[in-house]
């Protein structure tokens, strides 16, 4: 295919020297000459006379065949680049896609009405795989402590961990959920939480272990919404995160977990972001800064 492309330029500009000067990429004249000799050898025919330049009958036939393809490549490239420049592909959890992106993306579309979106629901554990497979331009996700090779991240916000309790539960702090039996401190309430591989669960368990507590999840669910539902029904204390600008769930009490590491949320991407994806990152950072300053419940 490369040899055919070189032949197209040589035939179009009527000579190797002229073709080398006008090709869209750099290549030396001897290299072009040598590769065209290989093409002629593989075809078993002479394609053109060098001096003065003229196509042979076989060269005319081949040029007529390759001209429609190579002559349109520039137009096709420009069209594809134009379409892709307006296409933004985002991966995120269902909760983020449903609650946090619509308003932000609506603002972007108001500024660029021809914006095309592809939104993909993925679990945080699958984000890096989706990016490396080029199935998304970026992802809004938990930022893990270890990112894969070539994976970059821009931090948006840090969400404090918290515990949820039924509204009528007597405890008003973390220590009230612990019993001291002759110097051995143990939790007195079952725990509702996400699976062990989720970052929220790992942050909570690492800190409780550091404090010498053994507090395993008694009721494992697949979402923070489900954590709220099971806590309302009296199954125990639920592990959650506090989202800036969002009031606590109705019917539940929120217990701050001072000293626990926060959950870091950000935009994760591979390589260099294209302009429309960079625009989204900048808009997301601005929105996150606004949320952190916004009073809860407004």
């Amino acid at each position: 295919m490369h040899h055919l492309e070189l032949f197209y330029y040589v035939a179009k500009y009527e000579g190797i020297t002229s073709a080398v000067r006008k090709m869209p990429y750099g290549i030396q004249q001897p290299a072009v000459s040598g590769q065209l000799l290989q093409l002629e050898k593989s075809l078993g025919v002479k394609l053109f006379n060098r001096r003065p330049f003229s196509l042979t009958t076989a060269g005319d036939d081949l040029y007529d065949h390759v001209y429609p393809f190579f002559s349109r490549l520039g137009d096709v490239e420009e069209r594809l680049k134009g379409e892709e420049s307006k296409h933004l592909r985002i991966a995120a959890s269902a909760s983020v896609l449903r609650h946090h992106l619509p308003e932000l993306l609506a603002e972007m579309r108001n500024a660029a009405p021809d914006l095309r979106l592809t939104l993909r629901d993925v679990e945080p554990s699958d984000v890096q795989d989706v990016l490396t497979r080029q199935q998304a331009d970026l992802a809004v996700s938990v930022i893990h402590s270890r990112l894969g090779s070539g994976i970059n991240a821009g931090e948006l916000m840090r969400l404090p961990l918290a515990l949820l309790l039924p509204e009528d539960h007597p405890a008003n702090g973390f220590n009230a959920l612990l019993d001291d039996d002759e110097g051995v401190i143990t939790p007195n309430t079952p725990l509702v939480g996400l699976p062990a591989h989720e970052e929220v669960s790992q942050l909570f368990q690492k800190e409780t272990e550091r404090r010498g507590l053994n507090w395993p999840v008694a009721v494992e669910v697949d979402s923070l919404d489900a954590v709220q539902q099971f806590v309302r029904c009296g199954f125990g204390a639920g592990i959650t995160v506090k989202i800036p600008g969002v009031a606590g769930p109705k019917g539940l009490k929120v217990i701050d977990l001072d000293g626990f590491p926060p959950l870091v949320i950000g935009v994760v991407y591979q390589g260099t972001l294209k302009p429309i994806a960079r625009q989204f990152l900048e808009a997301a950072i601005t929105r996150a800064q606004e949320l952190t300053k916004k009073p809860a419940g407004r």
Side-chain angles (χ1 to χ4, degrees), residues 176-235:
L177 297 171
L178 306 176
D179 289 333
D180 186 349
D181 183 12
E182 297 182 354
V184 179
I185 300 176
T186 57
N188 58 31
T189 305
L191 194 62
V192 181
L194 299 176
H197 68 269
E198 295 286 354
E199 189 76 1
V200 171
S201 293
Q202 291 183 11
L203 291 171
F204 181 85
Q205 292 298 341
K206 285 180 181 178
E207 180 59 22
T208 53
E209 290 173 7
R210 189 189 70 81
R211 299 184 183 196
L213 298 174
N214 179 29
W215 200 354
V217 170
V219 180
E220 182 180 296
V221 295
D222 62 359
S223 71
L224 293 179
D225 288 342
V227 170
Q228 294 180 19
Q229 293 297 330
F230 276 82
V231 173
R232 283 194 186 93
C233 293
F235 281 84

Side-chain angles (χ1 to χ4, degrees), residues 88-140:
L88 179 59
R89 303 172 302 160
I90 302 175
S93 67
S95 176
V96 170
L97 292 175
R98 185 169 61 250
H99 297 299
H100 303 292
L101 291 188
E103 289 185 10
L104 175 58
L105 294 175
E107 292 174 2
M108 290 186 63
R109 191 177 62 176
N110 288 337
D114 53 357
L115 174 65
R116 187 160 66 92
L117 295 168
T118 298
L119 306 179
R120 185 184 182 95
D121 176 6
V122 299
E123 296 297 325
S125 57
D126 296 328
V127 161
Q128 294 197 36
D129 183 59
V130 168
L131 293 174
T132 55
R133 291 176 180 271
Q134 300 290 307
Q135 296 173 340
D137 299 310
L138 51 81
V140 179

